Amino acid sequence: MSDHKTIKITVLRYRPEEEDAPTEQTYEVEFRDDWVVLDALNHIKDHIDGTLSFRWSCRMGVCGSCGMMVNGEPKLTCAAMLRDYYPKEVRVEPLVNFPIVRDLVTDMTDFMDKLKAVKPWIIREEEKPVSEGEYRQTPDQLKDYKQFSQCINCMLCYAACPVYGLEHDFVGPAAIALGHRYNLDSRDEGIQQRQHVIASKEGIWECTYVGECSVVCPKHVDPAEAIQQTKVATTTNRFKSLVMPWGNKT
Amino acid sequence: MNIPMHDVLLVGGGGAGLRAAIAASETYRGADIGVVSKVYPMRSHTVSAEGGTAAVMREDDNLDLHAYDTIKGSDFLCDQDVVEAFVKEAVDEVIQLEHWGCPWSRDEDGRVSVRAFGGMSVKRTLYAADKTGFHMLHALFQTSLKYDAITRYDEWFVTSLLVEDGRVCGVTALNIRSGNIHAIGAKSVIICTGGAGKIFPFTTNAAIKNGDGMALAYRIGCPLKDLEFVQYHPTGLPGTGILMTEASRGEGGHLVNSQGERYLSEYVPGKMELGPRDILSRSFIHEERKDNVFKGPDGSYVHLDLRHLGEKIIDERLPFVRELTRNYVGIDPVYEPIPVRPVVHYCMGGVHTDINGATPIPGLYAAGEAACVSLNGANRLGSNSLTECLVFGARAGQVAAQHAADTDFADSASMARMAQDEQKRIETQFFGTNGKERVANIRDDLRKTMEEGAGIFRTEDALKTTCDTIRTLKERYKNIGIDDHSRVFNTDLVNALELGYMLDVAEGLAHSALLRRESRGSHARSDYEERDDENFLKHSLAYQTDGDPRIEYLPVTLTRWEPEERTY
Ligand SMILES: Cc1cc2nc3c(=O)[nH]c(=O)nc-3n(C[C@H](O)[C@H](O)[C@H](O)COP(=O)(O)OP(=O)(O)OC[C@H]3O[C@@H](n4cnc5c(N)ncnc54)[C@H](O)[C@@H]3O)c2cc1C
Ligand code: SF4
Ligand code: FES
């Protein structure tokens, strides 16, 4: 332990009961090669300053709790290695485009409402009884939607999205991708019920295809692709509904 | 004060809690269901389960075979009536989840695929690549959104169970965001708070797994059953404890020691890498004693070698393993073996329930990892616990809803008073004093003593020391001081409350282990190496008292399978 390296972590602080506007605070912590940014935050909380608040749980990049801005980029802090920033100082801030509840904790109720609005569940005209067994779905049919089912609701894409930053009515990348995921599922018949949200003005048409959502997504969901596919499908469907006004599932 | 009231209240929104919530709302129309969860439900630790979930799906399999594997895996400490109900209902439950959109991996003909798993004699583990728990949890959560009868309390932390006239009638909970304590009334309360792996230093478990619900029940006089049984998973990453799923062995991966040998041929020749977890974890310790392991900064390890599987299989069936090893240890399993060692993974014990998830306390139910319905006995088979969440979550939900239909709410004024008392208790204990003890220090000391006394191998002396240490830690806890005295999103306070739960569960665990003077399943006593059916073919029940816990025993239910020697 002769070379005791340290690294500076500057975090945004905001305690609504004490201050009107956010401030920042810098901590100097031990640098360890195998630490992620979240480990440094936990070290601060446990041993230096218990008042620092942030969310985390799994520490393996799958629960989606620990999204924050790290040096200006939306990241899962449990998957961002400290060594990728060392020896430079690291700045940790709450995800942008969301109201701050406290310190690094943001308010995500808006997303929870939007998620529900796209009806992310299997919709069928008639449910098959469980006693009749599973629905058959081939690996190719699974592949159609699999990628869009990988979303961990981490909100990084919303933080990266310039449209959501300006227009909070925008349904946004993850919710659209999840609605699209069900539309593409061979077991589902609910596309019509989701269209008024997904294909609305606040849905896909708000998106200007900047594509930042897909760049930051840690799970390669590619929400921009979901939006693009829906735009294409909606346009063709619109023509189709002129030819076949009684409607049909594609 | 206006108190929200629900027919059935879930404490916990993981796999078990959400399954129970849906079952309760389907049991009778008009039932009003509440789900309290300290994290948004889709963050619950079910999300990190990787390998799969077991059910009899194929012609080469049958219910008795699944039952026998489970019973033998449990070292004959499970209740066999529970196992029989489980294997039967498992099938419908996994199909139900398929109907709810879970993206199970599929065979060419469109049927759900099954893979091999440790201790299972045929392929019966359904999976969604190696993100099974993630997909199951999101399918359950997203499906739950369509039930208008379910009200959620996201990021509310339960601090106590309310009891009136000997029955549970609700909870008090901290709204983490506002900092206020509220009473929530309920006719039935179901505890689905998950395991307690975080009382140990090296674990696959997430930060939120501190045994909260076990301690909540323990504190109102409900016994905790078979707590001494703690499963070590043989393949965690050293240091972080991140899990390398058993599916990596199910798909054909090898465990290799520093001599380049597949050392399991010495311990479980019949099963090799697919032996049960307790035996595999002990084999590692034997190899360590023989100096046949690699040494690293985070302790010794062996190799999990997947290279012979090839990139295609790894990417198709184990993509998460590749993602995790690349991110966290800079190793690509396509080209290099992965360093692994045993880490604490699962609590077989928990809140004592009957076959329907009912506890001895009226109005209180439990399901999932927090509960001990006695499916897993002394050692759980991998991929049985996700299914357990479904089967016994559903059962508990139904029975709790029926109970609610025949019960009245308790008096809301007295509940409001209890909530005020609870707020005062918490303010006095954590904000009123100038305690000198830090949460993190007591927690670290607790974890250390648990590893030393209640680890893979245990002895009378070491366990006694651990029991003594826990007693002093509980004293130190009274003198706790937290930095944060504000209200909004005070995670310092949450951590301090969690530490209280951890100490209670650790106490029950260590004392149960001390008195079980035999070796069975995951509980290996170096001083009592044999299984002792004459004296210990029974469940332990830990009751909280003012001093050390009182340990009582309960017979094991045998139906068709006589205990026999457990060899593989
Ligand atoms: C890494 C890993 C991999 C695994 N892989 C598999 C596998 O492949 N197959 C298998 O069968 N099993 C596996 N398991 C085990 C299995 O995942 C768990 O046993 C199961 O998911 C537990 O689910 P649960 O619903 O009981 O609890 P959890 O999913 O842990 O949920 C607990 C819930 O309780 C809530 N809660 C806790 N305390 C409080 C409180 N005080 N107030 C309010 N809410 C509270 C939490 O917010 C959460 O919603 C694995 C476990 C781990 C750790
Ligand atoms: S789409 Fe990607 S970035 Fe957006 S919430 Fe889902 S996982 Fe996160
Ligand atoms: S802590 Fe779960 S994703 Fe980072």
Side-chain angles (χ1 to χ4, degrees), chain A residues 17 45-46 50 53 55 57 60 63-64 78 102 107 120 133-137 139 152-153 181-182 187 219, chain B residues 43 50 98-99 101-102 106-107 110-112 142 155 177 207 323 328 438 443 483-484 486-489 491:
Chain A
E17 294 150 88
K45 179 155 193 81
D46 286 348
S53 270
R55 292 188 180 106
S57 180
M60 57 191 279
C63 76
C78 74
R102 151 141 195 202
D107 180 352
E134 76 233 62
Y135 294 103
R136 295 286 176 111
Q137 183 169 69
I152 61 172
N153 303 172
R181 167 247 179 277
Y182 283 93
R187 296 167 288 190
K219 297 292 148 184
Chain B
R43 316 284 190 222
E50 300 171 15
E98 196 276 335
H99 288 198
C102 187
R106 305 277 179 160
D107 287 359
R111 292 189 300 171
V112 294
Q142 290 167 6
E155 301 193 317
R177 179 146 177 190
E323 181 186 323
Y328 291 102
R438 277 193 89 77
R443 200 168 56 201
D483 295 346
D484 192 347
S486 67
R487 280 172 175 267
V488 175
F489 226 93
T491 48

Short mmCIF file of all heavy atoms in Angstrom, two decimals, chain A residues 17 45-46 50 53 55 57 60 63-64 78 102 107 120 133-137 139 152-153 181-182 187 219, chain B residues 43 50 98-99 101-102 106-107 110-112 142 155 177 207 323 328 438 443 483-484 486-489 491:
data_model
loop_
_atom_site.label_atom_id
_atom_site.label_comp_id
_atom_site.label_asym_id
_atom_site.label_seq_id
_atom_site.Cartn_x
_atom_site.Cartn_y
_atom_site.Cartn_z
N GLU A 17 -34.71 20.84 1.95
CA GLU A 17 -35.15 21.46 3.21
C GLU A 17 -34.20 22.57 3.64
O GLU A 17 -34.54 23.39 4.48
CB GLU A 17 -35.20 20.39 4.32
CG GLU A 17 -36.25 19.34 4.08
CD GLU A 17 -35.86 17.99 4.68
OE1 GLU A 17 -36.17 17.76 5.85
OE2 GLU A 17 -35.25 17.16 3.96
N LYS A 45 -20.31 7.73 1.34
CA LYS A 45 -21.48 7.63 2.22
C LYS A 45 -21.15 6.89 3.52
O LYS A 45 -21.55 7.31 4.60
CB LYS A 45 -22.62 6.92 1.51
CG LYS A 45 -23.84 6.78 2.40
CD LYS A 45 -25.11 6.65 1.61
CE LYS A 45 -26.32 6.83 2.49
NZ LYS A 45 -26.66 8.22 2.76
N ASP A 46 -20.42 5.79 3.39
CA ASP A 46 -20.14 4.97 4.56
C ASP A 46 -19.13 5.60 5.51
O ASP A 46 -19.25 5.47 6.72
CB ASP A 46 -19.61 3.59 4.14
CG ASP A 46 -20.72 2.71 3.58
OD1 ASP A 46 -21.89 3.08 3.73
OD2 ASP A 46 -20.39 1.67 2.98
N GLY A 50 -22.37 10.69 5.52
CA GLY A 50 -23.58 9.88 5.39
C GLY A 50 -24.77 10.63 4.82
O GLY A 50 -25.81 10.03 4.55
N SER A 53 -27.02 11.38 -0.76
CA SER A 53 -28.06 10.42 -1.13
C SER A 53 -28.04 10.08 -2.61
O SER A 53 -27.89 10.96 -3.46
CB SER A 53 -29.44 10.95 -0.74
OG SER A 53 -29.76 10.55 0.57
N ARG A 55 -29.42 6.49 -5.40
CA ARG A 55 -30.06 5.18 -5.47
C ARG A 55 -29.09 4.15 -6.02
O ARG A 55 -28.33 4.44 -6.93
CB ARG A 55 -31.26 5.22 -6.43
CG ARG A 55 -32.44 6.04 -6.00
CD ARG A 55 -33.57 5.78 -6.99
NE ARG A 55 -34.78 6.51 -6.72
CZ ARG A 55 -35.18 7.57 -7.42
NH1 ARG A 55 -34.48 8.00 -8.44
NH2 ARG A 55 -36.31 8.17 -7.11
N SER A 57 -28.74 -0.56 -6.17
CA SER A 57 -29.07 -1.83 -5.55
C SER A 57 -28.19 -2.98 -6.04
O SER A 57 -27.42 -3.54 -5.27
CB SER A 57 -30.54 -2.17 -5.74
OG SER A 57 -30.80 -3.41 -5.12
N MET A 60 -24.67 -4.65 -10.52
CA MET A 60 -24.26 -5.48 -11.65
C MET A 60 -24.99 -5.07 -12.92
O MET A 60 -25.16 -5.87 -13.83
CB MET A 60 -24.42 -6.97 -11.33
CG MET A 60 -25.81 -7.39 -10.92
SD MET A 60 -25.85 -9.09 -10.26
CE MET A 60 -25.86 -10.03 -11.79
N CYS A 63 -30.44 -3.69 -12.43
CA CYS A 63 -31.66 -3.22 -11.75
C CYS A 63 -32.08 -1.84 -12.24
O CYS A 63 -33.23 -1.44 -12.07
CB CYS A 63 -31.48 -3.21 -10.23
SG CYS A 63 -30.49 -1.85 -9.59
N GLY A 64 -31.14 -1.11 -12.85
CA GLY A 64 -31.49 0.18 -13.45
C GLY A 64 -31.58 1.35 -12.49
O GLY A 64 -32.05 2.42 -12.85
N CYS A 78 -22.71 1.94 -11.63
CA CYS A 78 -22.13 0.66 -11.22
C CYS A 78 -21.43 -0.03 -12.37
O CYS A 78 -20.86 -1.10 -12.20
CB CYS A 78 -23.20 -0.26 -10.63
SG CYS A 78 -24.31 -0.97 -11.85
N ARG A 102 -33.45 15.03 -4.46
CA ARG A 102 -32.43 15.32 -3.46
C ARG A 102 -31.09 14.81 -4.01
O ARG A 102 -31.03 13.71 -4.55
CB ARG A 102 -32.76 14.59 -2.18
CG ARG A 102 -31.53 14.22 -1.38
CD ARG A 102 -31.74 14.39 0.05
NE ARG A 102 -30.46 14.36 0.74
CZ ARG A 102 -30.37 14.07 2.02
NH1 ARG A 102 -31.46 13.79 2.70
NH2 ARG A 102 -29.20 14.10 2.61
N ASP A 107 -36.65 12.51 -9.89
CA ASP A 107 -38.06 12.11 -9.83
C ASP A 107 -38.42 11.42 -11.15
O ASP A 107 -38.35 12.02 -12.22
CB ASP A 107 -38.90 13.38 -9.65
CG ASP A 107 -40.38 13.07 -9.59
OD1 ASP A 107 -40.77 11.91 -9.84
OD2 ASP A 107 -41.15 14.00 -9.31
N PRO A 120 -47.89 -1.81 -21.54
CA PRO A 120 -46.83 -2.80 -21.76
C PRO A 120 -47.21 -4.18 -21.21
O PRO A 120 -46.60 -4.66 -20.27
CB PRO A 120 -45.65 -2.19 -21.00
CG PRO A 120 -46.29 -1.48 -19.85
CD PRO A 120 -47.63 -1.00 -20.35
N GLY A 133 -51.77 -24.87 -22.45
CA GLY A 133 -50.33 -24.82 -22.68
C GLY A 133 -49.84 -23.48 -23.22
O GLY A 133 -50.59 -22.52 -23.29
N GLU A 134 -48.57 -23.50 -23.59
CA GLU A 134 -47.92 -22.26 -24.01
C GLU A 134 -48.34 -21.86 -25.42
O GLU A 134 -48.80 -22.69 -26.20
CB GLU A 134 -46.41 -22.45 -23.95
CG GLU A 134 -45.82 -23.27 -25.12
CD GLU A 134 -44.94 -24.44 -24.66
OE1 GLU A 134 -45.45 -25.34 -23.97
OE2 GLU A 134 -43.76 -24.45 -25.05
N TYR A 135 -48.16 -20.59 -25.72
CA TYR A 135 -48.23 -20.15 -27.11
C TYR A 135 -46.93 -20.56 -27.78
O TYR A 135 -45.86 -20.39 -27.21
CB TYR A 135 -48.35 -18.62 -27.22
CG TYR A 135 -49.63 -18.06 -26.66
CD1 TYR A 135 -49.66 -17.43 -25.42
CD2 TYR A 135 -50.82 -18.16 -27.38
CE1 TYR A 135 -50.83 -16.91 -24.90
CE2 TYR A 135 -52.00 -17.64 -26.87
CZ TYR A 135 -52.00 -17.02 -25.62
OH TYR A 135 -53.17 -16.52 -25.12
N ARG A 136 -47.03 -21.10 -28.97
CA ARG A 136 -45.80 -21.39 -29.69
C ARG A 136 -45.21 -20.09 -30.23
O ARG A 136 -45.94 -19.24 -30.73
CB ARG A 136 -46.07 -22.35 -30.86
CG ARG A 136 -46.56 -23.73 -30.44
CD ARG A 136 -45.41 -24.54 -29.85
NE ARG A 136 -45.89 -25.84 -29.36
CZ ARG A 136 -45.57 -27.00 -29.94
NH1 ARG A 136 -44.81 -27.03 -31.02
NH2 ARG A 136 -46.00 -28.13 -29.43
N GLN A 137 -43.90 -19.95 -30.11
CA GLN A 137 -43.22 -18.77 -30.65
C GLN A 137 -41.85 -19.24 -31.12
O GLN A 137 -41.08 -19.78 -30.33
CB GLN A 137 -43.08 -17.71 -29.55
CG GLN A 137 -42.46 -16.42 -30.02
CD GLN A 137 -42.59 -15.30 -28.98
OE1 GLN A 137 -41.96 -15.35 -27.93
NE2 GLN A 137 -43.40 -14.30 -29.28
N PRO A 139 -37.91 -19.17 -32.53
CA PRO A 139 -36.78 -18.29 -32.22
C PRO A 139 -36.75 -17.05 -33.11
O PRO A 139 -36.37 -15.97 -32.65
CB PRO A 139 -35.56 -19.18 -32.49
CG PRO A 139 -36.06 -20.59 -32.27
CD PRO A 139 -37.48 -20.58 -32.72
N ILE A 152 -33.95 -1.83 -19.06
CA ILE A 152 -33.94 -1.90 -17.60
C ILE A 152 -34.53 -0.64 -16.96
O ILE A 152 -34.39 -0.44 -15.75
CB ILE A 152 -32.52 -2.18 -17.05
CG1 ILE A 152 -31.54 -1.06 -17.43
CG2 ILE A 152 -32.00 -3.53 -17.55
CD1 ILE A 152 -30.17 -1.18 -16.75
N ASN A 153 -35.15 0.21 -17.74
CA ASN A 153 -35.80 1.43 -17.22
C ASN A 153 -34.81 2.33 -16.46
O ASN A 153 -35.15 2.91 -15.42
CB ASN A 153 -36.97 1.09 -16.27
CG ASN A 153 -38.04 0.21 -16.90
OD1 ASN A 153 -38.93 -0.24 -16.21
ND2 ASN A 153 -37.98 -0.05 -18.20
N ARG A 181 -42.16 -3.20 -28.36
CA ARG A 181 -41.81 -4.58 -28.03
C ARG A 181 -43.05 -5.47 -28.00
O ARG A 181 -43.05 -6.57 -28.52
CB ARG A 181 -41.08 -4.60 -26.67
CG ARG A 181 -40.91 -5.97 -26.03
CD ARG A 181 -41.74 -6.09 -24.76
NE ARG A 181 -41.64 -7.40 -24.13
CZ ARG A 181 -42.38 -8.47 -24.51
NH1 ARG A 181 -43.22 -8.39 -25.53
NH2 ARG A 181 -42.25 -9.61 -23.89
N TYR A 182 -44.13 -4.97 -27.40
CA TYR A 182 -45.35 -5.77 -27.35
C TYR A 182 -46.03 -5.83 -28.72
O TYR A 182 -46.57 -6.86 -29.11
CB TYR A 182 -46.29 -5.26 -26.25
CG TYR A 182 -45.83 -5.71 -24.87
CD1 TYR A 182 -45.02 -4.90 -24.09
CD2 TYR A 182 -46.17 -6.98 -24.39
CE1 TYR A 182 -44.56 -5.34 -22.84
CE2 TYR A 182 -45.72 -7.41 -23.14
CZ TYR A 182 -44.91 -6.59 -22.37
OH TYR A 182 -44.45 -7.02 -21.15
N ARG A 187 -47.51 -13.02 -29.78
CA ARG A 187 -48.64 -13.38 -28.92
C ARG A 187 -49.62 -12.23 -28.73
O ARG A 187 -50.69 -12.40 -28.15
CB ARG A 187 -48.11 -13.79 -27.52
CG ARG A 187 -47.25 -15.04 -27.56
CD ARG A 187 -46.49 -15.23 -26.25
NE ARG A 187 -45.41 -14.26 -26.09
CZ ARG A 187 -44.49 -14.32 -25.13
NH1 ARG A 187 -44.52 -15.29 -24.25
NH2 ARG A 187 -43.54 -13.41 -25.05
N LYS A 219 -27.96 -1.23 -22.57
CA LYS A 219 -28.44 -2.58 -22.87
C LYS A 219 -28.69 -2.78 -24.36
O LYS A 219 -29.34 -3.75 -24.76
CB LYS A 219 -29.72 -2.87 -22.07
CG LYS A 219 -29.49 -2.86 -20.57
CD LYS A 219 -28.61 -4.02 -20.10
CE LYS A 219 -27.77 -3.64 -18.91
NZ LYS A 219 -26.84 -4.68 -18.47
N ARG B 43 -36.91 -2.83 -9.74
CA ARG B 43 -35.52 -2.84 -9.24
C ARG B 43 -35.29 -3.99 -8.25
O ARG B 43 -34.17 -4.17 -7.76
CB ARG B 43 -35.19 -1.54 -8.49
CG ARG B 43 -35.66 -0.25 -9.13
CD ARG B 43 -34.79 0.13 -10.29
NE ARG B 43 -35.06 1.47 -10.78
CZ ARG B 43 -35.11 1.76 -12.09
NH1 ARG B 43 -34.93 0.83 -13.00
NH2 ARG B 43 -35.31 3.00 -12.47
N GLU B 50 -30.38 -15.14 -12.98
CA GLU B 50 -29.85 -15.32 -14.33
C GLU B 50 -30.30 -16.63 -14.97
O GLU B 50 -30.87 -16.67 -16.05
CB GLU B 50 -28.30 -15.28 -14.27
CG GLU B 50 -27.78 -13.96 -13.74
CD GLU B 50 -26.27 -13.96 -13.46
OE1 GLU B 50 -25.57 -14.88 -13.93
OE2 GLU B 50 -25.80 -13.04 -12.77
N GLU B 98 -45.70 -17.29 -19.33
CA GLU B 98 -45.54 -17.25 -20.79
C GLU B 98 -46.68 -16.47 -21.39
O GLU B 98 -46.48 -15.60 -22.25
CB GLU B 98 -45.47 -18.69 -21.32
CG GLU B 98 -44.94 -18.81 -22.74
CD GLU B 98 -46.00 -18.59 -23.81
OE1 GLU B 98 -47.20 -18.79 -23.54
OE2 GLU B 98 -45.63 -18.19 -24.92
N HIS B 99 -47.88 -16.71 -20.91
CA HIS B 99 -49.04 -15.98 -21.43
C HIS B 99 -48.96 -14.49 -21.10
O HIS B 99 -49.53 -13.66 -21.79
CB HIS B 99 -50.34 -16.56 -20.86
CG HIS B 99 -50.68 -17.91 -21.43
ND1 HIS B 99 -51.92 -18.48 -21.36
CD2 HIS B 99 -49.91 -18.82 -22.10
CE1 HIS B 99 -51.91 -19.67 -21.94
NE2 HIS B 99 -50.71 -19.90 -22.39
N GLY B 101 -46.34 -12.83 -21.33
CA GLY B 101 -45.37 -12.17 -22.19
C GLY B 101 -43.90 -12.41 -21.87
O GLY B 101 -43.03 -11.84 -22.51
N CYS B 102 -43.60 -13.26 -20.90
CA CYS B 102 -42.19 -13.50 -20.59
C CYS B 102 -41.48 -14.05 -21.84
O CYS B 102 -41.97 -15.01 -22.44
CB CYS B 102 -42.06 -14.47 -19.43
SG CYS B 102 -40.37 -14.66 -18.87
N ARG B 106 -36.58 -20.22 -26.91
CA ARG B 106 -37.45 -21.19 -27.60
C ARG B 106 -36.66 -22.19 -28.43
O ARG B 106 -35.60 -21.86 -28.97
CB ARG B 106 -38.40 -20.45 -28.55
CG ARG B 106 -39.23 -19.38 -27.90
CD ARG B 106 -40.45 -19.95 -27.26
NE ARG B 106 -41.23 -18.90 -26.61
CZ ARG B 106 -42.51 -19.02 -26.29
NH1 ARG B 106 -43.16 -20.14 -26.55
NH2 ARG B 106 -43.15 -18.03 -25.70
N ASP B 107 -37.26 -23.36 -28.58
CA ASP B 107 -36.75 -24.33 -29.54
C ASP B 107 -37.27 -23.97 -30.93
O ASP B 107 -38.19 -23.16 -31.06
CB ASP B 107 -37.24 -25.74 -29.18
CG ASP B 107 -36.52 -26.30 -27.95
OD1 ASP B 107 -35.64 -25.59 -27.41
OD2 ASP B 107 -36.84 -27.43 -27.54
N GLY B 110 -40.92 -23.83 -31.57
CA GLY B 110 -41.72 -22.82 -30.87
C GLY B 110 -42.03 -23.13 -29.43
O GLY B 110 -42.62 -22.32 -28.72
N ARG B 111 -41.64 -24.31 -28.96
CA ARG B 111 -41.85 -24.61 -27.54
C ARG B 111 -40.80 -23.89 -26.70
O ARG B 111 -39.71 -23.58 -27.18
CB ARG B 111 -41.74 -26.12 -27.28
CG ARG B 111 -42.89 -26.91 -27.90
CD ARG B 111 -42.85 -28.35 -27.44
NE ARG B 111 -41.59 -29.01 -27.82
CZ ARG B 111 -41.24 -30.22 -27.40
NH1 ARG B 111 -42.02 -30.90 -26.59
NH2 ARG B 111 -40.10 -30.75 -27.79
N VAL B 112 -41.11 -23.66 -25.41
CA VAL B 112 -40.09 -23.04 -24.56
C VAL B 112 -38.95 -24.03 -24.36
O VAL B 112 -39.18 -25.23 -24.22
CB VAL B 112 -40.66 -22.59 -23.19
CG1 VAL B 112 -41.67 -21.48 -23.37
CG2 VAL B 112 -41.29 -23.75 -22.44
N GLN B 142 -44.93 -5.36 -15.54
CA GLN B 142 -45.69 -4.70 -16.61
C GLN B 142 -47.12 -5.24 -16.65
O GLN B 142 -48.07 -4.49 -16.86
CB GLN B 142 -44.94 -4.87 -17.94
CG GLN B 142 -43.66 -4.01 -17.93
CD GLN B 142 -42.67 -4.32 -19.04
OE1 GLN B 142 -42.95 -5.11 -19.94
NE2 GLN B 142 -41.51 -3.70 -18.99
N GLU B 155 -41.03 3.15 -3.26
CA GLU B 155 -40.05 3.81 -2.39
C GLU B 155 -40.66 4.19 -1.03
O GLU B 155 -40.43 5.26 -0.51
CB GLU B 155 -39.38 4.99 -3.10
CG GLU B 155 -38.67 4.52 -4.37
CD GLU B 155 -37.72 5.52 -5.00
OE1 GLU B 155 -38.06 6.71 -5.09
OE2 GLU B 155 -36.63 5.10 -5.41
N ARG B 177 -39.51 9.51 0.21
CA ARG B 177 -39.43 10.80 -0.45
C ARG B 177 -39.82 11.96 0.46
O ARG B 177 -39.21 13.02 0.41
CB ARG B 177 -40.33 10.75 -1.67
CG ARG B 177 -40.34 12.03 -2.41
CD ARG B 177 -40.49 11.79 -3.87
NE ARG B 177 -40.56 13.06 -4.54
CZ ARG B 177 -40.88 13.19 -5.79
NH1 ARG B 177 -41.17 12.12 -6.51
NH2 ARG B 177 -40.90 14.37 -6.35
N ALA B 207 -27.86 -4.69 -2.59
CA ALA B 207 -27.84 -3.86 -1.38
C ALA B 207 -29.12 -3.94 -0.58
O ALA B 207 -29.13 -3.72 0.63
CB ALA B 207 -27.59 -2.41 -1.78
N GLU B 323 -20.98 -10.22 -20.79
CA GLU B 323 -21.05 -8.78 -20.51
C GLU B 323 -20.44 -8.47 -19.14
O GLU B 323 -19.64 -7.54 -18.98
CB GLU B 323 -22.53 -8.37 -20.56
CG GLU B 323 -22.80 -6.89 -20.31
CD GLU B 323 -24.32 -6.60 -20.23
OE1 GLU B 323 -25.09 -7.22 -20.99
OE2 GLU B 323 -24.69 -5.75 -19.41
N TYR B 328 -16.48 -6.19 -15.57
CA TYR B 328 -16.01 -6.10 -14.19
C TYR B 328 -14.64 -6.71 -13.95
O TYR B 328 -13.98 -6.34 -12.99
CB TYR B 328 -17.05 -6.71 -13.24
CG TYR B 328 -18.29 -5.85 -13.17
CD1 TYR B 328 -19.45 -6.19 -13.87
CD2 TYR B 328 -18.30 -4.67 -12.45
CE1 TYR B 328 -20.58 -5.39 -13.84
CE2 TYR B 328 -19.42 -3.85 -12.40
CZ TYR B 328 -20.56 -4.22 -13.10
OH TYR B 328 -21.66 -3.41 -13.07
N ARG B 438 -21.02 4.39 13.86
CA ARG B 438 -21.41 4.54 12.46
C ARG B 438 -22.06 3.25 11.95
O ARG B 438 -21.61 2.15 12.27
CB ARG B 438 -20.20 4.81 11.58
CG ARG B 438 -19.74 6.23 11.53
CD ARG B 438 -18.75 6.42 10.38
NE ARG B 438 -19.42 6.76 9.12
CZ ARG B 438 -19.89 7.97 8.85
NH1 ARG B 438 -19.79 8.94 9.72
NH2 ARG B 438 -20.47 8.21 7.69
N ARG B 443 -21.99 -2.66 10.60
CA ARG B 443 -22.34 -3.56 9.50
C ARG B 443 -21.12 -4.39 9.09
O ARG B 443 -21.22 -5.61 8.90
CB ARG B 443 -22.85 -2.72 8.33
CG ARG B 443 -23.67 -3.45 7.32
CD ARG B 443 -24.35 -2.47 6.38
NE ARG B 443 -23.38 -1.60 5.73
CZ ARG B 443 -23.69 -0.42 5.19
NH1 ARG B 443 -24.93 0.03 5.20
NH2 ARG B 443 -22.77 0.32 4.62
N ASP B 483 -25.46 10.69 10.29
CA ASP B 483 -25.07 12.05 9.87
C ASP B 483 -26.27 12.87 9.45
O ASP B 483 -26.30 14.08 9.61
CB ASP B 483 -24.11 11.97 8.67
CG ASP B 483 -22.80 11.29 9.03
OD1 ASP B 483 -22.53 11.14 10.23
OD2 ASP B 483 -22.04 10.91 8.10
N ASP B 484 -27.23 12.19 8.84
CA ASP B 484 -28.30 12.90 8.14
C ASP B 484 -29.54 13.01 9.02
O ASP B 484 -30.17 12.01 9.33
CB ASP B 484 -28.63 12.12 6.86
CG ASP B 484 -29.50 12.92 5.92
OD1 ASP B 484 -30.04 13.96 6.34
OD2 ASP B 484 -29.63 12.49 4.76
N SER B 486 -32.10 15.07 8.12
CA SER B 486 -33.16 15.69 7.32
C SER B 486 -34.20 14.64 6.96
O SER B 486 -34.06 13.46 7.28
CB SER B 486 -32.57 16.32 6.07
OG SER B 486 -32.06 15.31 5.22
N ARG B 487 -35.25 15.07 6.28
CA ARG B 487 -36.34 14.16 6.00
C ARG B 487 -36.33 13.59 4.59
O ARG B 487 -36.47 12.40 4.39
CB ARG B 487 -37.68 14.89 6.21
CG ARG B 487 -38.06 14.98 7.65
CD ARG B 487 -39.28 15.86 7.82
NE ARG B 487 -39.69 15.84 9.21
CZ ARG B 487 -40.59 15.01 9.71
NH1 ARG B 487 -41.20 14.14 8.93
NH2 ARG B 487 -40.90 15.04 10.98
N VAL B 488 -36.17 14.49 3.62
CA VAL B 488 -36.36 14.07 2.23
C VAL B 488 -35.29 13.07 1.79
O VAL B 488 -34.10 13.34 1.87
CB VAL B 488 -36.34 15.30 1.30
CG1 VAL B 488 -36.42 14.89 -0.16
CG2 VAL B 488 -37.48 16.24 1.66
N PHE B 489 -35.72 11.92 1.34
CA PHE B 489 -34.84 10.86 0.81
C PHE B 489 -33.62 10.63 1.69
O PHE B 489 -32.48 10.67 1.23
CB PHE B 489 -34.44 11.16 -0.64
CG PHE B 489 -34.59 9.93 -1.51
CD1 PHE B 489 -35.76 9.70 -2.22
CD2 PHE B 489 -33.59 8.97 -1.58
CE1 PHE B 489 -35.92 8.56 -2.98
CE2 PHE B 489 -33.74 7.82 -2.34
CZ PHE B 489 -34.92 7.62 -3.04
N THR B 491 -31.40 8.37 2.99
CA THR B 491 -30.95 6.98 2.86
C THR B 491 -30.05 6.57 4.03
O THR B 491 -29.86 5.38 4.28
CB THR B 491 -30.21 6.76 1.54
OG1 THR B 491 -29.25 7.81 1.37
CG2 THR B 491 -31.16 6.78 0.36
#
